[in-house]
Amino acid sequence: MSKHQRYSGVAMLFHWVIAGLVILNWRLAENAEHAAARAEKIAIFNDHKAVGITILALTIGRLAWRLSHPVPPLPSGYANWERILARSTHVIFYVLLIGLPIGGWLANSLGGQQIEMFGLFTIGALPVGSNEGLSEEIFDLHKTGGTIMIYLVGLHVLGGLKHTFFDKDGGIFRMLPFGKVGPRSSL
């Protein structure tokens, strides 16, 4: 098996850490929405915001890594629609991984809020002035984007499982340091 069929160890680390943080952040948002006490809701959303900024920083790092290191080609057995779906999904992931944290930061800034990074430091509000109405509209878009992200994660997982267990091309093992990746990939 050629190591060029797999993503690099650094790309794998970025992928799995960001994936874990996305799932954590989704759960934090859900827990905050269902919190009984206002103080509890605020505390949970503070963690949600800090995790979001962490995702943003890691995604920028991941993009820098991806631009400077070759990505393994898709397996040659992929149908054209699978190639288009795979590439489109990745683009949408990057748009959401960058857009959701920036949108959340912008909405907080418009509401006059800073972002506390786990009690370690504070990220100031963007210099956008105050506009509660716009802040709420952006938060609504942020929530919709988060829902799209979770559906996209589900689609991504289903695709990986399909390629691994039905197509038997080892699709999921392209992003893991173990397991058998299928036949040689092509561009």
Side-chain angles (χ1 to χ4, degrees):
M1 168 182 27
S2 169
K3 70 179 182 176
H4 299 292
Q5 291 177 275
R6 291 186 198 279
Y7 284 84
S8 69
V10 172
M12 289 181 200
L13 183 63
F14 273 126
H15 175 273
W16 292 109
V17 170
I18 292 170
L21 290 174
V22 164
I23 299 300
L24 170 65
N25 229 16
W26 167 57
R27 294 307 312 146
L28 286 170
E30 289 293 315
N31 290 342
E33 288 292 330
H34 297 99
R38 180 167 163 70
E40 179 185 11
K41 183 175 190 163
I42 290 170
I44 296 170
F45 266 130
N46 283 341
D47 288 341
H48 174 81
K49 295 172 193 180
V51 171
I53 294 297
T54 303
I55 290 170
L56 175 61
L58 289 171
T59 300
I60 291 168
R62 182 176 180 184
L63 271 173
W65 181 264
R66 183 177 176 131
L67 292 173
S68 63
H69 293 79
V71 174
L74 293 172
S76 58
Y78 279 24
N80 197 37
W81 69 267
E82 290 173 309
R83 291 176 180 282
I84 292 168
L85 185 59
R87 289 189 176 116
S88 299
T89 300
H90 280 103
V91 168
I92 295 167
F93 266 130
Y94 281 115
V95 167
L96 291 171
L97 289 169
I98 292 170
L100 285 172
I102 290 175
W105 187 8
L106 176 60
N108 275 281
S109 298
L110 288 164
Q113 301 294 314
Q114 299 178 337
I115 298 175
E116 294 295 326
M117 292 298 293
F118 308 110
L120 300 173
F121 59 93
T122 301
I123 296 177
L126 295 167
V128 292
S130 179
N131 186 329
E132 287 293 330
L134 183 56
S135 174
E136 288 303 316
E137 288 179 29
I138 293 171
F139 274 132
D140 287 344
L141 288 172
H142 180 83
K143 186 174 181 178
T144 300
T147 300
I148 292 168
M149 172 70 85
I150 293 307
Y151 285 123
L152 197 61
V153 167
L155 177 66
H156 187 63
V157 169
L158 288 174
L161 294 173
K162 173 201 175 286
H163 285 288
T164 301
F165 298 110
F166 291 101
D167 299 341
K168 303 205 183 295
D169 65 14
I172 199 169
F173 299 115
R174 290 166 40 88
M175 193 50 85
L176 291 169
F178 57 84
K180 184 175 181 346
V181 178
R184 179 85 177 126
S185 300
S186 71
L187 292 172

